[in-house]
Structure formats: C-alpha cells, structure tokens
Amino acid sequence: MAAKQKSRRVLPGFGLSMGYTVVYLSLIILIPLAALLLKATTLNFGQTWNTVTEPRVVASYKLTLFTSLVAAIVNAVFGTLIAWVLVRYQFWGKRVIDALVDLPFALPTAVAGIALTTIYAPNGWIGQYFEAMGVKVAYTQYGIIIALTFIGLPFVVRSVQPVLQDLDQQYEEAASTLGAGSGQIFFKVIFPAIFPAVLTGFALAFARALGEYGSVVFISGNMPMKTEIVPLLIITKLEQYNYGGAAAIAVVMLGFSFILLFLINFWQWRTAKKHQVT
Amino acid sequence: MVSREVTLHFDTSAVKVASRFDSIRKWLLIGVALLFLGLFILVPLLAVFSEALKKGVQLYFAALIEPNAWAAIKLTLVTAAVAVPINTIFGVIAAWAIAKFNFEGKNFMLTLIDIPFAVSPVIAGLVFVLLFGSQGMLGPFLAEHNIKIIFAVPGIVLATIFVTFPFVVRELIPIMQDQGTDEEQAAITLGANGWQTFFRVTLPNIKWGLLYGVILCNARAMGEFGAVSVVSGHIRGLTNTIPLHVEILYNEYNFTAAFAVASLLALLALATLVIKSMVEWKTQKH
Amino acid sequence: MGISICDVSKAFSSFPAVKNVELEIPTGDFVALLGPSGSGKTTLLRMIAGLESLDSGKILFNGLDYTNKTVKERKVGFVFQHYALFRHMTIFENVAFGLKVRPRRNRPSKREIKEKVHELLRLVQLEHLVDRYPSQLSGGQRQRIALARALAVEPEVLLLDEPFGALDAKVRQELRHWLREIHQKLNITTVFVTHDQEEALEMADTIVVMNKGMVEQIGSPEEVYHHPANAFVYSFLGRVNEITGKALSETTLRVTDLEKGTVGYIRPHEIVLKKTSEGLGMLVEVVHIHSVGSTVRMQLKRRDTDDLYEAELTIETYKELGAVSKGDLLHAEFNNIVVFENEPGTSHSLQEQTKFTAAFN
C-alpha cells in the first residue's frame, strides 16, 4: 500500500488558528492554574491538610455548599416556572420580562450585592417586614441564599426555555386524547422531557453560586464560623500573605467546581447520546 | 382535540369549568413568576436608582465627577478597552479552529475554555497573585526589573482578561457549527483565498453573534469585582475600578455616592440587555 | 478538460469510502456517478474538486498530476447539494463573488462583472431576481443560481453534488432538461452525483455505477441498463424480481446444473402473462392489481411455493389479456431471466464480463 499522503484540510488557517488558540489558552488559563497547583504543593501534606480542615475553613465549606444548594433548588423550581410562563403564555410586557431575566448576567455583582443588602437590611424596603416578624435576612444565611438565588436565576430559565419551546404540543395532545389529566400530562409527559435541562440549569447555577463573591460579601456580614464563605476566606488568607494557605483552599474549591463541571458535561453527553439513538 | 369534541357532545359545562380552571391556573402561574422576578430583579434595580437619587440630583452628579470616581471610570474604560478586543480576537480565531475543523482533543479544549466560567473569580485573581505577586513565582524577577503587575493596572487587566475569556468564543462556536462549512467551501471553489473567505463569507454570517458576545464580554469586563478585587490593592485614584470604588464608598457608609456610581454600572447592564434583545430580534428575523 | 482518476482510495477513520477507483472522463463528457447512499460517489466528486484529500492514488487533469493542487488551483465549478448560496448576499453578489475575489490584476472591471452576471442570469433564466436574497427564492431557483455562480468563474470542469436531490418531482424534471441543454450549449466536462437511476439514465452520456466505494460498471445508459455487469447494477437500475432455488431450476429448463444459491433476475415488464398455458408457464395467483398511468402493476403469488413476483404490463397488453381480477389464476412465462456468476458476495471486476443470459422458450 502506498504511504498515506499528507491529509490536507480544505478550509485554510487551521494551523495558524489552532496554534494561536493553544498558545493563548496556555498563557491565560493553563500556566496560571498550574501556578496555583504548584503553590498549593509548597506546603507539606500535613500543613495543607491542617489548613483545609481548620474548623473555620470547614464551616465555610459547609456554609457555601449549603447556601449554594438551597439557592440552586429555589432557582430550579422558580426558573422552570418562569420558563414555562414565558414560553406558554402570552401577556402584556412579556418581552421586557424575558429580557430582564438576564439582568443577573449583566449586572455587576458588587452592584447586586449592595442593592440586595440595602433592600433586606433591617430598615430596608423588604427587610423591615421580616424584621417585624423577628427574622433577620441581611447578614445571615438567608441573605446569602437570596444573593445566590439572584445570580443563579438566569441559568435554569435559559436552559429550560429552548427545550420547552421545541417541545411539540402534539405529545400533550396525544396524552390528553389518551385520557390524561393536566397534572398527569405535566408530570408524565412534559417534566421528563425538560428534566435534563432543569438539571443542567441547576448544576450551572450551583457551580456559579459556589464561587460567587461580589454579591455575597456585602449581604453576608462575614462572621467567621457563621456567615463566612470560602472565597472570602481565600482573600483573608491572601491578605495575611499566607499564599500557600490561600492556594490550598482554592484547590479544594477548584476540585468541587471541576467535579461539577465534569458531571454537567457527562450529563449533557449522555442525554445527547440518548437522543441520537432515538 | 378529539377529547375536547367528545366532551362537547356529552357535557358542555365540563368544558367551561375546565377552561375557567385553565385561565385561573394561567394567571396564577404568571402571578407567581412576576412576583418572583419582581422581588429578585426589579426591586434591586429600582433600589439602585432610588438610593442614588435619594439626596437629590446634585449630590448624584457630584459623586460621579469627584476625582476618585473619575479615575475609577477611566481605569475601567482602559481595562475594558484592552481586555475586550484581545478576547474578541481570540474568540474569533479559536471559534474558527474549533467550529470549522475536526481534531482530536476538541472537547478537552472546550473544557479549558469553560474554566473561567467554572472557577470562582477570587481564584482567578489569586492565580495571578501567585504568579506575579511579591511572594509569587515571578515576584523576585519582576521586582528586580522594577515591573509591577499585582496591585497595579497590568494585574487588573490580566484578571479581567481571564474572567471574560470565554464570552466571545462560547457565543461564536454554536453559531459557526450550525452554519457548517458549505458556504466557506463554496467560496474556496470560487477562487477566494482564506482572508476573503473569512471576511466576506464567515464574518457577515456571525456578526450578530459576535456583537452579542462582545457586549457580554464588555459588561463583565467593566463589572468584574471578585478577581479584580484580589489583584488591585484598592489604591484610590490609581487601581480602583468602578466596582471597587463602589465597594469603598459603601464600606465608608457613603451610600448615596456608592449607589450613584453603581447606577452607572446598572445603566451599562440595562444597555447590554437592550442590545442583546435587539440582536436576538435581528437574528430571529433572518 | 479531461480527468483521469487513477487507483484512488480514501477512508474516513476506519471506514473505506472509496476503494481503488479507476475512471477516465474525456473532455466534454457528461458523467453521472450513480449509487446508493454510502457508495462513495459524493466523496469521489469532492476529491475531484479537491475538497477531500486522497489516501492513495492520483487525479490528473488533462494528463497533469493535480492530486496535490489546492481547490483554488483546480478552477472547478462546484454546485453543492444544499446550494451553499451566501445567505447575506443578494443574487447579484452571489454570482459576482468568484469574479470579485480575483487578485486585482485579473479582476474584471465593475462594468464587466455586471455584464457577466447578467449574462449568466439570463442563461439560467432568472435575471429578474438579481436583487433578491437566497432566502426569498424557491429551491429550483436556488439551484439555478448556484449553477450560475459556479459558471461565473468559467470553470473547465463542472461538478454537481446531488443537484436535484432536494427538489420536488416536477421541478426536478424541468431542471434535468435544462441542465442537459446548458451542457450542450457550453460543452463543459460535467460530473454529477445522484442516487436516482432515472436521473442518471435520462441525463448522462456516461454512467458510473458505484457501490460500497467501488466502481461496479462504467458505460453509456444503454450499456448499463441492458447489459449490466452484475446483479448489483441490474437491480439498482430498475425494479427486479429475484428467482431462487426450485423456481429457478424449474423455469430454466435447459440449464439444470445451476449451483445451489444461484439467483436469477427478471424485470417486471419481462414477465409474460397468459390466461392459458402454452408450455413452460407457471401457475400464479393475482394478489393485487393497480394501475399507474399508462402501466399496470400486478402482484403475483406462485401457487406451489408462495413466492411473490411483480409484473408490469402496458395498458394495451393488459387489455389484450382480457378481464383479470384479484384471485384469478394466470400462467406466467419468465423470459429473459438473467443469472450472474460469482454471486453473491464476491467482488465484481469490469474487465471480465462474466454475465450470461439464459433465454428460454
């Protein structure tokens, strides 16, 4: 057999664009991340372990995970509902509402942070009513959850919306001709179809919440052991010039993020594959 | 359809009840959705402007033209003016490589591009401190040559580039993949060279998506807080961007000024949303 | 421009798309690459254009080795299956594209470009659409614009990938004649890909029948239809009945030493039906009759083996036969049964025509 001839690509610029992409990715992403991993290993294992298992640090993991999870669940429920309303119903001002859903993507987190803090402070627009009921929102875990709900809101809506749009109403009509009630139709026909999208949106909102800093730092009050989130703790270590400690905690957080990223990709790959077969 | 006709034959009142129930459910769901969005989106937005103008228009403008505020605005514009074009150029080139060609490791590359979305902004700042900070890996070298990156403008620009890195490329890849390579191949068979193919065929087809990616990238570049906060050093008049300036004013209990400056960013966000809606409207029309 | 394809092969990862293809296309020929999907015909076409690289072999244009020439250097006109018109350009800009991207020293003046575009639009009879966008055109119109655009660069070879695949039957019919006319007018070497045997038979001077990446037969429409090289070509070029086993040995009286597993083929219109037996007919039951325009199709079931056959009669012969209805018994005579050697599962080569026809009665 003849030697394989050099495979030539039809469109030009592959070598150039690929080379540029690899170099740029390495400079901006890979080298800095490698620096982080290297720095984290400058402490010995015992020191690292102590840093990342300090009670104050563990408390911040728990807080961050818990509040992010609650916020993501709230977003999964209300985000799905909002997507449903935006896709299925016609009402005045829908276009504006639809555009506003993306505000948390566009609004700088610091602005969201101070605005939410002001609203939910004990004398704020909404905070005063909670105060009257004896509930403190700002400077507590509730405040953190509200901030994280705000920044995660668009993820679920924007994941579910296109899927709902593409969902052929024939399925619902078919189900209703077969005698299904509207509740059955929703839970047996619609929900299974949009569930992967809900889960993707949930995971994205969750991942975003885990790393969120700007909107939370104002409303949380930053009390050690109580309302101190992981990113804040990294900054605290940094301000004490404890670079190794900051890096160690950052690596733990990165680990969480990557596991989540991996799960999202795996999930999307699996649903894509499932759809291919059918 | 069928069931409805059947019901009509047997019991018209059931249909009326059902449709009234449908309508109640519809408005109930709309109500809940609007209440939730109102509480979480509209109220905070209104609060920004209301707090900013609380003490009158004069104080509002005074807060904006105060020298430190001006310096912050300038620094933010400079940062965006560097980060956005760099990431736009990268985005277009990388999207070309990824969307128009098949190669091993494409998924790995996409994951790398997504990293800034998945990583906390604080970590994004941290990595540059670890690299270029006084105790960082290149710290001694930089000190020797009197180059300042951390607690200076270059660090802010770098951190901003990192966090805004995926916006353009992520916006372009699906559009370019959707459009396939037929038109480019046609251009090549008609004798066009690479640049002609790109500028005359590819670019006009992705222009709206590109614009969208650029404005998202810009919004984030101007509004980034966490990453910039870590590398800035918060030196007033020198290394404060608008969001950092907002933070300082807020922590000094100068709420009116804080919200006045914040309202600039809120306006930027609203403008971003308007352009985004226009782009969507444009692309749907085609 | 004459094209020689010498022992060309190409695999996509491990899937062999084109295997050792040899093909000689003389200048001015009108060639159809005919085959089922996955037969490698489009890959072969794209390799001629330079849109696909070769794993091995050579492609010569007028005797010169063009294997490693770029698409641009080959100066071919290529019409894509889905037209690939530039959606953001008007029809004028689409057709003018190939002229406008020329290096400045070869580029015609604006006026020349305009004249040329209008001339081409006249040729494809769509001059009135000059300012429209592709999205405002019908499928047939887009196809014609795609052709005008490809012709604008005055190619010496015109390549068309499933040119009428996405169009409805009537438009397809019109465009076939029209493309034929254009070919006669311009006399450019033209190669097109199709999976529709009717299209190939009707338009091409030469048909290249492909299957599983290999060439099964090359010849004029006459040759491939009436003298198919093998069973694949025979069955791909028209409706066919397969006769196996006992039915075959009984029908082919004179050839009794047929190997086991041999398959005989007969086209539906070659089955002769009679009401009374005259020798070698077999008894069949009419299962279904339906008439399609000027022909009548009948589904027949053999009484003893339950094998099903399809017969096709002209309306005249049907009338001569007299009233027939479902359930009636008829005598079927299988004239012109075709048997191929080395069937099935072995590769067929063009050089040795191993076919023999067994004609009986």
Side-chain angles (χ1 to χ4, degrees), chain B:
Chain B
M1 283 290 277
V2 174
S3 81
R4 187 164 273 197
E5 274 166 32
V6 172
T7 344
L8 268 174
H9 281 297
F10 291 99
D11 187 358
T12 25
S13 65
V15 174
K16 273 185 201 150
V17 171
S19 74
R20 196 185 309 143
F21 176 70
D22 276 353
S23 161
I24 290 172
R25 191 178 56 194
K26 171 184 166 181
W27 289 108
L28 197 72
L29 289 177
I30 292 178
V32 174
L34 291 187
L35 187 71
F36 188 84
L37 287 173
L39 272 178
F40 277 93
I41 305 256
L42 209 56
V43 172
L45 197 58
L46 291 177
V48 172
F49 293 103
S50 151
E51 292 289 327
L53 296 164
K54 211 172 180 177
K55 295 191 176 145
V57 181
Q58 253 178 332
L59 267 178
Y60 176 80
F61 284 111
L64 295 186
I65 57 171
E66 178 257 336
N68 286 333
W70 253 121
I73 292 170
K74 265 191 262 173
L75 179 57
T76 296
L77 291 177
V78 168
T79 305
V82 178
V84 175
I86 285 184
N87 278 336
T88 303
I89 292 169
F90 163 77
V92 172
I93 293 175
W96 176 266
I98 292 170
K100 301 283 181 189
F101 298 95
N102 281 318
F103 55 89
E104 296 265 318
K106 191 187 261 197
N107 282 328
F108 178 67
M109 192 170 258
L110 285 173
T111 309
L112 284 185
I113 289 174
D114 276 344
I115 282 179
F117 279 162
V119 163
S120 171
V122 169
I123 295 179
L126 172 70
V127 292
F128 290 105
V129 173
L130 295 181
L131 264 183
F132 303 117
S134 56
Q135 295 180 33
M137 295 176 165
L138 300 176
F141 172 83
L142 294 173
E144 208 172 288
H145 293 81
N146 217 3
I147 305 169
K148 223 166 151 40
I149 292 180
I150 298 307
F151 304 147
V153 176
I156 293 174
V157 172
L158 273 176
T160 306
I161 289 176
F162 182 93
V163 293
T164 58
F165 176 78
F167 283 95
V168 175
V169 59
R170 263 310 196 181
E171 198 56 45
L172 291 183
I173 287 173
I175 299 174
M176 282 186 163
Q177 267 169 347
D178 258 15
Q179 288 175 342
T181 54
D182 270 12
E183 287 186 40
E184 281 83 6
Q185 288 184 12
I188 300 279
T189 63
L190 292 169
N193 64 31
W195 295 114
Q196 288 170 324
T197 305
F198 177 75
F199 283 105
R200 295 185 184 210
V201 177
T202 310
L203 195 59
N205 277 334
I206 59 169
K207 61 182 174 196
W208 293 113
L210 183 62
L211 176 65
Y212 183 30
V214 168
I215 59 156
L216 281 183
C217 180
N218 179 63
R220 183 70 191 267
M222 291 190 169
E224 177 50 30
F225 178 71
V228 172
S229 168
V230 173
V231 295
S232 135
H234 303 264
I235 309 162
R236 261 189 224 215
L238 282 179
T239 61
N240 261 355
T241 59
I242 303 178
L244 297 179
H245 190 60
V246 169
E247 184 198 17
I248 290 187
L249 292 170
Y250 187 85
N251 286 342
E252 287 170 346
Y253 302 104
N254 190 351
F255 293 140
T256 308
F259 277 103
V261 179
S263 72
L264 287 182
L265 294 172
L267 285 175
L268 172 75
L270 288 177
T272 303
L273 293 187
V274 169
I275 299 174
K276 173 186 180 278
S277 301
M278 273 167 44
V279 168
E280 275 171 1
W281 182 72
K282 271 276 183 203
T283 44
Q284 268 164 20
K285 218 179 63 174
H286 279 284

Side-chain angles (χ1 to χ4, degrees), chain C residues 242-246 248 258-265 339-340 342-344:
Chain C
E242 287 187 10
I243 304 152
T244 48
K246 198 171 140 217
L248 184 61
L258 284 169
E259 280 172 57
K260 217 174 168 192
T262 307
V263 184
Y265 300 88
V339 176
F340 297 94
N342 306 328
E343 291 285 344

Side-chain angles (χ1 to χ4, degrees), chain A residues 197-214:
Chain A
V198 174
L199 208 64
T200 305
F202 168 83
L204 288 171
F206 187 54
R208 173 72 206 268
L210 285 182
E212 179 56 20
Y213 173 71

